[in-house]
Amino acid sequence: MSATTNELQRRELLGTMLLIRRFEETGERLSLRGQIPAGIHPASGHEAVAVGTMSALQASDVVCGTHRSHHLALARGLDPSRTMAELYGKAPGLLGGRGGSMHLADFGHGFYGSNGIVGAGIGIAMGVALGMHMRQDASVAVGFVGDGGMNIGRVWEAINLAVIWGLPLIVLVENNLYAVETTSAEVTGGGSIVDRAKGFGIHAEPVDGQQVDAVHAAVAAARERAVAGGGPSLIEAETYRFSGHGSGEKASYRTREEIDHQRAHRDPIALLREQLIDDGELSPETFDELDTAAQARVAEAVAFARDAPWPDTATAVGGVGWDE
Ligand SMILES: Cc1ncc(C[n+]2csc(CCOP(=O)(O)OP(=O)(O)O)c2C)c(N)n1
Ligand SMILES: [Mg+2]
């Protein structure tokens, strides 16, 4: 994969970003109606980070997510119907309906899971990268983490090990400015995640997380460096979540004006749409067709999940494959 995306690719990336947006909007609605049992952490607004990253990876690479990972799963190519079925807790879900939103995984697609423990994905990705290093695989492990997760001690332990062992690890920070209701700028000592990372000796750089091309280029370069033996990288992608921390949140920690401003000027889908139209690579009609296709795919996923059977209660104790 090249460091820049071509015309066809960029339309495909836009289609996947629309799929994510429609999936998240629908998921939030269904969660509020109680059809998806439990809340979810929607990632509307984070689409360019997910799609820009995954488009720069190879099939042999491994991705570890966070508690907010539907966008990562879909961008990695996991089946939308089985992903939605997992949110519903139904048997054909990715993990047999036993995990739910925070436990999406598909090892066959190199997706080692979303994770309810903040920061845990970096330790898992570091371990995967160690395995790749020992086997001399030309692959990388990407661990996603939020700005809040960058204040977790074990994240830095994992980064330190990756640096001293020269592991093919990419730490992808989705800095959406908040950790639940906490403003990240107020709790980030030193003021900069990238500067803190440099102190650990890891190659670190910021990227505009709302520009899919910029994310793709940064990850492609980090990947190239890692497989050439250049060690780990940290990429801090500035993004924004348009929804609350979880579905149904009544937010008092940020203003309506801020959200409206972000939606008007920093929507990654609108930015890519504009760019492609300006470059003569997309017409408004083609955009609408991509959007209609995304909505139809999500409707199909919802129907699949709604009509699917529940997991067999006889296998509930100990889980699938449990040996008495
Ligand atoms: C170890 C741990 N501490 C606290 C929590 C509770 N918690 C869940 S999400 C979250 C905020 C995470 O913020 P950030 O890393 O910025 O990710 P974002 O939600 O913004 O995507 C917290 C504190 C948790 N799940 N795990
Ligand atoms: Mg955050």
Side-chain angles (χ1 to χ4, degrees), residues 97-278:
R98 302 279 193 223
S101 162
M102 285 194 282
H103 301 95
L104 305 174
D106 185 342
F107 283 22
H109 275 88
F111 191 71
Y112 283 23
S114 48
N115 199 311
I117 302 168
V118 169
I122 301 302
I124 298 168
M126 187 276 289
V128 173
L130 176 58
M132 290 167 167
H133 181 67
M134 292 173 76
R135 288 192 304 269
Q136 298 189 315
D137 289 350
S139 303
V140 298
V142 183
F144 280 81
V145 61
D147 45 279
M150 293 314 288
N151 289 326
I152 298 275
R154 90 181 98 73
V155 167
W156 294 103
E157 293 177 40
I159 289 173
N160 185 54
L161 286 175
V163 169
I164 61 167
W165 291 336
L167 304 184
L169 172 72
I170 299 175
V171 177
L172 207 308
V173 185
E174 290 183 281
N175 185 347
N176 58 11
L177 314 185
Y178 296 98
V180 193
E181 301 199 348
T182 300
T183 304
S184 294
E186 289 173 9
V187 295
T188 303
S192 162
I193 290 169
V194 163
D195 287 349
R196 191 187 293 176
K198 285 179 181 164
F200 275 74
I202 187 170
H203 178 100
E205 60 185 88
V207 70
D208 184 345
Q210 305 310 72
Q211 298 282 358
V212 73
D213 274 342
V215 177
H216 177 96
V219 175
R223 186 184 190 284
E224 212 173 295
R225 201 163 37 244
V227 296
S233 298
L234 179 145
I235 297 166
E236 181 187 3
E238 186 171 315
T239 184
Y240 195 78
R241 59 168 159 73
F242 293 151
S243 289
H245 172 72
S247 42
E249 173 194 88
K250 298 269 181 292
S252 57
Y253 59 93
R254 56 182 186 169
T255 60
R256 187 72 250 165
E257 290 71 41
E258 178 184 302
I259 299 168
D260 289 347
H261 178 84
Q262 289 277 347
R263 278 190 181 276
H265 302 288
R266 298 276 298 151
D267 181 334
I269 293 177
L271 291 172
L272 183 57
R273 178 184 186 275
E274 251 169 62
Q275 195 185 330
L276 293 187
I277 289 176
D278 282 353

Side-chain angles (χ1 to χ4, degrees), residues 10 19 76 91 98 109 128 184 300 313:
R10 294 209 291 173
L19 173 70
R76 187 62 179 161
R98 302 279 193 223
H109 275 88
V128 173
S184 294
E300 188 189 322
T313 50

Side-chain angles (χ1 to χ4, degrees), residues 15-33:
T16 307
M17 287 164 70
L18 282 162
L19 173 70
I20 293 168
R21 178 67 55 86
R22 298 310 185 187
F23 187 98
E24 293 298 59
E25 288 171 348
T26 304
E28 191 164 7
R29 229 176 12 250
L30 293 168
S31 160
L32 290 173
R33 281 192 209 144

